[in-house]
Amino acid sequence: MAIFENITIEKGMYQGKGSLTDTLEKLDPSENYAGTSLEGLDAFSRQLKRFDIKVSGKGSDCVEKFFQSSNSAALFPEYVGRAVRQGMERADVLSDIVATVTDIDGMDYRSITSSPSEDDKSLKIVGEGAKIPQTEVKTRENLVKLHKRGRMLVASYEALRFQRLDLFTVTLNQIGAYIARAQLKDAIDVLLNGDGNSNAAGSVSVQTSGSLTYGDLIKLWSSLAPYELNTILAPTAQMEKILQISQMQDSNAGLNFQSTGKMITPLGANLIHTPELATGKIIGLDKNCALEMVQAGGVVTDYDKLIDRQLERAAITCTAGFSKIFTQASKALAC
């Protein structure tokens, strides 16, 4: 009998650090299945196979399949969490604007900063025995503000027991998408207004109020130097203005949009549609050094209610915040 068939699964496994999948991987490493029919499945997927639970595709099972035994019922919160994370990944924009992600165990986090002067940025020749110029790195004055985002899943087991899991997964994916868009709004707020450490984005004005020209984008590009303008965030109204600029009708830009659905400016920066951004502003940034994401625990599900009470009201939350790394790595264009 395979190892995964002997594992006793209980809700206490959710109390440790990491997800249930992480705990199962320690008990039943995937590397042990190399060259077998189970190769390519992680420890959680092997447990689904153990209890013959199909969560997607043709012939997916009903929700009640999870509750046929105490072991399989303990898998349900992890299924919910994975479906929510899948929805977050599908709606993900943060990976295009965040330079680094920091995972923490608590709720208090103080980021670091380095604010070199123009003189500090120039790497001067150091003579023999001379003092080497310094770059000071220190902690920020204020903590990163973390926000808990989530949804309350309200449904009885009786209401869902005969619903197919693939349909239920779509609902959970949408909850993940809601969380991802809320986190994007938090990130945009930090890019524009700072993280409470006097580091709001510098403002760049257009040549003519209410209009937007290619020259304005060039001005945004030059204002970010020595940082690289590689990402532009624009709300719907400003996105329409950018797409109407004649240079945006360049054949290469058009072919890229038509073939991939991804837009790129003539400046080489990725153009991202962000309705969460207030109308009248465009954000230009260097995604490699502008923003840090801080998250505590990833997606958290209320496992007691999902297992013992078979749904009713269960919270699905994700706690995260954002901190600016280099203040001058992002600028706001008012138009």
Side-chain angles (χ1 to χ4, degrees):
M1 183 177 290
I3 297 175
F4 72 91
E5 295 180 345
N6 292 322
I7 296 176
T8 299
I9 309 169
E10 41 92 23
K11 65 181 182 181
M13 290 181 170
Y14 288 94
Q15 296 175 349
K17 186 177 180 180
S19 65
L20 176 66
T21 300
D22 296 331
T23 301
L24 292 174
E25 282 289 347
K26 293 177 182 177
L27 299 172
D28 180 34
S30 293
E31 61 191 33
N32 293 342
Y33 295 88
T36 71
S37 60
L38 298 177
E39 184 178 12
L41 298 180
D42 61 16
F44 177 75
S45 298
R46 287 193 291 276
Q47 290 299 319
L48 292 179
K49 189 172 184 65
R50 169 189 176 184
F51 295 104
D52 193 29
I53 300 174
K54 299 177 182 177
V55 298
S56 62
K58 185 178 181 180
S60 66
D61 290 307
C62 296
V63 172
E64 69 172 353
K65 191 70 174 287
F66 271 104
F67 297 95
Q68 290 186 337
S69 70
S70 58
N71 275 285
S72 59
L75 295 173
F76 190 62
E78 179 71 357
Y79 151 73
V80 171
R82 286 165 73 110
V84 171
R85 286 192 294 272
Q86 186 182 56
M88 293 178 67
E89 291 168 0
R90 288 180 179 175
D92 178 47
V93 174
L94 289 175
S95 60
D96 292 322
I97 65 175
V98 169
T100 182
V101 178
T102 302
D103 293 295
I104 61 174
D105 294 328
M107 293 297 291
D108 293 334
Y109 176 79
R110 198 183 301 272
S111 189
I112 60 174
T113 182
S114 175
S115 302
S117 64
E118 290 301 321
D119 186 61
D120 293 332
K121 293 177 183 177
S122 59
L123 299 183
K124 302 176 182 178
I125 297 175
V126 180
E128 183 177 352
K131 182 179 179 181
I132 299 177
Q134 300 180 115
T135 295
E136 183 181 8
V137 178
K138 57 184 179 180
T139 57
R140 291 195 180 277
E141 180 180 353
N142 295 317
L143 296 172
V144 175
K145 295 179 181 177
L146 301 182
H147 301 283
K148 179 181 285 189
R149 301 291 189 184
R151 289 272 172 162
M152 184 69 72
L153 184 61
V154 182
S156 66
Y157 169 62
E158 288 73 18
L160 289 177
R161 60 180 297 190
F162 297 120
Q163 294 300 318
R164 296 289 178 183
L165 286 167
D166 56 352
L167 176 59
F168 190 42
T169 299
V170 173
T171 301
L172 296 174
N173 286 168
Q174 195 59 35
I175 291 176
Y178 292 149
I179 295 175
R181 303 306 295 194
Q183 289 182 339
L184 175 60
K185 189 173 182 179
D186 291 339
I188 289 173
D189 180 65
V190 169
L191 283 172
L192 276 179
N193 304 312
D195 55 18
N197 290 284
S198 302
N199 52 4
S203 181
V204 179
S205 299
V206 296
Q207 297 173 2
T208 304
S209 179
S211 66
L212 183 67
T213 66
Y214 185 57
D216 295 323
L217 295 180
I218 294 293
K219 189 176 180 182
L220 178 62
W221 167 80
S222 62
S223 70
L224 273 176
Y227 298 101
E228 176 188 4
L229 175 62
N230 48 40
T231 306
I232 295 177
L233 308 180
T236 303
Q238 275 59 47
M239 180 67 80
E240 292 174 351
K241 290 182 179 181
I242 292 175
L243 294 176
Q244 290 171 8
I245 296 175
S246 60
Q247 286 81 358
M248 280 299 297
Q249 298 170 27
D250 170 80
S251 59
N252 290 330
L255 286 173
N256 184 69
F257 182 34
Q258 293 168 20
S259 61
T260 67
K262 295 181 179 180
M263 292 166 281
I264 189 167
T265 70
L267 302 174
N270 289 329
L271 184 58
I272 302 175
H273 181 211
T274 50
E276 293 78 8
L277 179 58
T279 299
K281 289 185 180 295
I282 290 173
I283 298 177
L285 68 144
D286 186 340
K287 72 170 214 174
N288 298 313
C289 49
L291 197 65
E292 174 190 15
M293 180 178 181
V294 182
Q295 60 183 16
V299 176
V300 178
T301 57
D302 208 340
Y303 57 85
D304 277 324
K305 292 182 179 179
L306 288 174
I307 297 173
D308 298 338
R309 302 184 188 180
Q310 299 177 343
L311 295 187
E312 283 193 1
R313 297 173 62 86
I316 302 170
T317 61
C318 188
T319 303
F322 299 89
S323 173
K324 296 189 79 169
I325 303 176
F326 292 101
T327 302
Q328 300 303 316
S330 61
K331 292 289 179 70
L333 179 67
C335 55

